[in-house]
Structures are given as C-alpha cells and as structure tokens.
Amino acid sequence: MRFEDQRKLLVQELRQQGIRDEAVLAAFSKVPRELYVPPQYKDYAYRNRPLPIGLEQTISQPLMVAIMLEHLELKPEDLVLEIGTGSGYECALLAEIAGEVCSVERLEELSLTAQGVLKEAGYKNIYFRIGDGAQGWLKAYPPHKEFDKIIVSAGASQIPPRLQEQLKPGGILVVPVGAGDYQILTKVIRTENGYSVSEHGACAFVPLISK
Ligand code: SAH
C-alpha cells in the first residue's frame, strides 16, 4: 500500500482510539512518518508503535504522541518548547499546528539528522539546541524565556522544575513522570499563583537523562 494510504489508515486508527483534536489529526495526515524512521524501518512507519532510531532511542508511538499533543491544547499562535527532538517527527507535527517550536536534544547525532530532515521538509518555524533539555531553552536566539506549551518526550524522575518555571501563565507542560521503565503522563498548568497538576495514565518512554 502507498505511504499516503497507510497514513490515512493511521489517522483513522487515532480517531477510533479517541483522538478528537482536528488540528492534531490534520497534522498526522500531513507529516510523512516514513521520512523520520531509519531506511530499514520504512515499511513499518505507519504501525502504531515506537521504532528504533539508533543510539538506544526511539521515535514514539503515534497514539502516545497524539494523546500528548491533544493535552497541550495547541493553538496556531503558540510558542512551543519540545524536549527530546529524537527523529524530529513530533517536532514536525508541532510545527504544523503551532506558531514556533524550539526543540532540544542531548545527542548531537540525532539532532543533526533531524535538523536535516526538517529543513529538507521546508519548516521555517523550528529552532534547535543541543544539550540538556531539563534546563529549558537557554539560547540567546530566539531569546525566549517562557513558552505557551512545553512537551517532554522522555521519562523524567520528577516534574523538571526549570521547565515549569519556563511556562507562561496559563501555559501547559506535558511530561511522563516516573523513575522506572513506565511513567505517568503528567499535565502541569501554570496558574496565577502556582501550578495545577493532573495525571493521565501510564506510558513508557526512554529516560530523560539529566544531571
Ligand atoms: N520526540 C521524539 C522522541 C524521541 S525519544 C520523536 O518524535 O522521535 C526521546 C529523546 O529524548 C531521545 O532522542 C533522547 O536522546 C532525548 N533526551 C533524553 N534526555 C534528554 C535531555 N535531558 N535533554 C534533551 N533530550 C533528551
């Protein structure tokens, strides 16, 4: 089957699994996942499962990414921080929906590969940093200190304090929290005088590696 048709089936599956945000579904209809997986896995690109991308890392499961993006309640004008660029797939989905995406990856090799694919795809609204994403953005350009939305696509042992500090008031952080192989998908909303935290089920991510 052509990738295009496989992509339509994946979007149908996401709908059946309960994804309702039309902007999220439109982004999944648009971004070719086969471009973000290693050549030997292209035939599996539209299975609803994570796949290896080298260096012991994975491109996340599409349904899990869709659930996280839905929790972010993305708007076209949003400024988004993504921790764990990985393959660049989720980054492309974010760039389709939001205004601007800043993406941090600790492994240089993965970041450079993703940067190549995303530039080739024509995205002009993505900025990259190589380093520890748990510390936030920290780059002079663009000089952002706070974000509307922050997504962490690796499992953190606790809610990263520096990341919740980089939320704008009303901003949303989605992060898998847990010390082992499994985590709890956690949503943090910055309120006027603090943070409101809610939990949204179990998930399994590679660990967020941070000092
Ligand atoms: N969003 C990615 C998921 C990649 S898996 C995708 O769609 O493909 C998670 C990624 O987080 C890995 O590439 C891993 O190297 C990275 N990572 C782990 N700890 C990190 C940290 N402290 N800062 C930035 N990236 C980190």
Side-chain angles (χ1 to χ4, degrees), residues 57-58 84-87 90 105-107 110 131-133 153 208-209:
Q57 306 305 321
T58 54
T85 314
S87 67
E90 179 183 87
E105 169 59 54
R106 61 180 283 273
L107 297 173
L110 290 182
D132 179 9
S153 48
L208 183 77
I209 301 186

Side-chain angles (χ1 to χ4, degrees), residues 95-138:
E96 289 290 344
I97 308 170
E100 197 178 303
V101 184
C102 293
S103 187
V104 186
E105 169 59 54
R106 61 180 283 273
L107 297 173
E108 182 177 36
E109 190 183 323
L110 290 182
S111 178
L112 295 179
T113 304
Q115 289 185 36
V117 182
L118 290 162
K119 278 184 185 134
E120 182 75 15
Y123 292 105
K124 304 266 188 292
N125 56 341
I126 307 175
Y127 298 89
F128 301 93
R129 176 167 96 76
I130 297 167
D132 179 9
Q135 309 311 317
W137 180 241
L138 306 179

